[in-house]
Amino acid sequence: MHQYRSARTSRRLYFQADNNKGGFMHVSYKPQLSATSYRDLTDQIQFQSQEGKIWFGEQRMLLMHLSAMAAFRREVVNSMGIERAKGFFMRLGYQSGIKDAELARKLRPDASDMEIFLAGPQLHSVKGMVKVVPIEIDLDQETGEFSGRLEWVDSFEVEICQTELGPMDEPACWSLLGYACAFTSAFMGREIIFREISCRGCGDEKCIIEGRPAEEWDDAEIFAEYFKEDPIMEEVYNLQSQLSSLRSSLHKQQGQYYGIGQSPSYNKVCKMIDKAAQGKVSVLLLGETGVGKEVIARSVHLRSERSESPFVPVNCAAIPPDLIEAELFGVEKGAYTGANQSREGRFERANGGTIFLDEVVELTARAQATLLRVLQEGELERVGDNRTRKVDVRVIAATNESLEQAVEEGRFRADLFYRLNVFPVRIPPLRERLEDLPLLVEHFLEKFHSEYDKRTLGLSDKALELCLNYHWPGNIRELENVIERGVILTDNNGTISQESLFAAMPAAMESGQVDHVDLSGNVTTGSADTNLEHWSDVILEDGISLEQVEVILMKKALDQAGQNVSKAARILGLTRPALAYRLKKSGLLPDS
Ligand code: ZN
């Protein structure tokens, strides 16, 4: 057993020889590691200045500025945080400690174990890192026993704290500690852990370290973590993948923006959408104009397995009939005058994803035939091409007129209708879910506040009441326009009045309600001219045809009249035969 006791515990340094050497050796106390004992170490340093090299034995060394190391350490702490930086510098010291343990054995082949061990602290001093003063060391290589207590004087890491980083909350001599652990563990052939029990870097009077075998420390396993490489990249990649999954779920949530509402009729739609999204079937969205069919279609797409692939919306009514085939299915160069180059159609662009065909009833007969083939065979040919292309596209179609009726009138293929009608979802008009209106108002206020960079106090109670009694023929799209107008016309921090919402104040369109709505006397059933102007604007804006207007009015009148044609005729100011003729013409009444 080798023991070293400094003045604090004993006046003597005892060298108890191990069994091989036998006997006791008494060595008088030396106040510090003697100058001569460094000679074998300093002799190893060799400056090969002209070659640009410094050697320590066979190891190439660097002479670098402490201030550069200090700046580097500050940067590492700032970019990785204290805990990571600590591990980083402890491992830096650890690497040197292992090398030096090997060197110590080589340089002192005939020395005692204690002398070989002391080469570690000495090497630390020789390299200018710290002056090491052993206080008490017991070691026995045979049994593996080790305990040590040493003082570090003028640690370079304390100096870094004083000049660059400022006082730390805990011991700061990280790389020195890593070195002590590595050197001693390599020397003893077992894991020895040192801890800095006080440190000047965190305001203590002295830097004192204590070392014992790992098993004797309660938290050895946690401490050992510092010596494990800790690739920050893995964590960065992890965070990146978390971020992208958060983004995608946010994306999906945004796709549910129509998912604002608590009304039973709306909840029913949500449940249908969720079911539809899971599968691959075509979805047919039914509902009036402005109810948010495209948003629903996007929600279906974003909640399906195809969400990473494109979503391509197409309004079939907005494309001229003679171009629709080329637009949807692509075209080969020279297929017709003006086809100057080949290009892919919307279906090819949507490959792997979803295409949304709004107003699908507008498709030409030829386009309907091609669409049917895409649905049945998953393949198409570009216009003017004879090459067959495979496409994998989910079709969501929408219509605000009855497809059944279009089939009856021969405007729409029955086989295509059955293909599209696998999963029909009816989206209720806004007037059937008015309890959702306040939430939708909130949503659009938020949207336009940020779009116009202003903040209003929201709708006045009167304005909200007006909204709740209004018929909303243009549905959510009309509400959106109305709120946008209100935000534009209202000053910052002002309340949105009913006048700023509606240019001309609407009477509730359904006759039964008008009398119950008191619109501050401005609007009565008598102001028919302004009403007419308002709804005719809406009709024109939404591109509803005269025929459609007629059909809608007749249907409505029939509904109100309980399907009694005479009563309906009276409501419309027509004779019974005149209405009957029109009903037959538009297919609402079968020929009799
Ligand atoms: Zn310290």
Side-chain angles (χ1 to χ4, degrees), residues 130 152 155 157-158 170-174 176 196 198-202 204 206-209:
V130 67
W152 282 333
S155 147
E157 292 183 290
V158 168
E170 51 177 304
C173 302
W174 300 334
L176 296 182
E196 199 175 7
S198 70
C199 178
R200 286 171 57 225
C202 59
D204 295 326
K206 289 175 174 177
C207 291
I208 304 280
I209 56 166

Side-chain angles (χ1 to χ4, degrees), residues 43 90 120 291 305 345 348 409 431 463 487 525:
D43 281 352
M90 282 176 70
V291 290
E305 284 165 3
E348 284 177 66
E409 291 168 8
R431 67 185 160 281
V487 169
T525 46

Side-chain angles (χ1 to χ4, degrees), residues 27 64-65 89 118 152 203 212 253 266 270 325 331 336 376 415 443 457 558:
V27 180
M64 69 183 294
H65 293 96
F89 283 99
L118 288 175
W152 282 333
R212 294 198 291 276
Q253 275 174 13
Y266 178 69
C270 288
E325 264 188 283
V331 65
Y336 53 81
Q376 281 174 339
D415 44 8
H443 170 76
L457 300 178
L558 276 173

Side-chain angles (χ1 to χ4, degrees), residues 401-416:
E401 77 172 272
S402 160
L403 279 186
E404 279 117 319
Q405 193 184 321
V407 169
E408 273 173 39
E409 291 168 8
R411 290 187 287 130
F412 204 80
R413 293 179 70 119
D415 44 8
L416 179 57

Side-chain angles (χ1 to χ4, degrees), residues 475-589:
N475 291 295
I476 295 176
R477 194 185 305 150
E478 185 184 8
L479 176 66
E480 182 174 5
N481 294 340
V482 161
I483 298 296
E484 181 173 18
R485 186 189 144 82
V487 169
I488 292 171
L489 292 180
T490 305
D491 291 333
N492 237 338
N493 295 317
T495 301
I496 298 175
S497 67
Q498 48 187 13
E499 289 85 0
S500 55
L501 281 188
F502 295 95
M505 296 249 250
M509 300 281 268
E510 291 191 76
S511 56
Q513 289 191 357
V514 174
D515 297 334
H516 306 296
V517 184
D518 175 16
L519 298 172
S520 62
N522 293 328
V523 177
T524 65
T525 46
S527 63
D529 285 350
T530 47
N531 289 340
L532 278 173
E533 202 172 311
H534 178 76
W535 66 255
S536 55
D537 278 350
V538 171
I539 285 169
L540 292 177
E541 262 170 38
D542 289 334
I544 299 171
S545 71
L546 201 54
E547 267 177 21
Q548 284 172 306
V549 171
E550 195 178 326
V551 168
I552 290 166
L553 282 175
M554 290 189 297
K555 271 187 182 167
K556 203 88 220 176
L558 276 173
D559 286 346
Q560 282 186 15
Q563 309 305 314
N564 180 316
V565 178
S566 301
K567 263 192 195 170
R570 274 200 296 281
I571 292 172
L572 291 166
L574 295 174
T575 62
R576 191 194 179 280
L579 177 59
Y581 171 77
R582 288 189 163 148
L583 287 172
K584 274 179 204 158
K585 204 182 76 183
S586 33
L588 288 176
L589 196 73

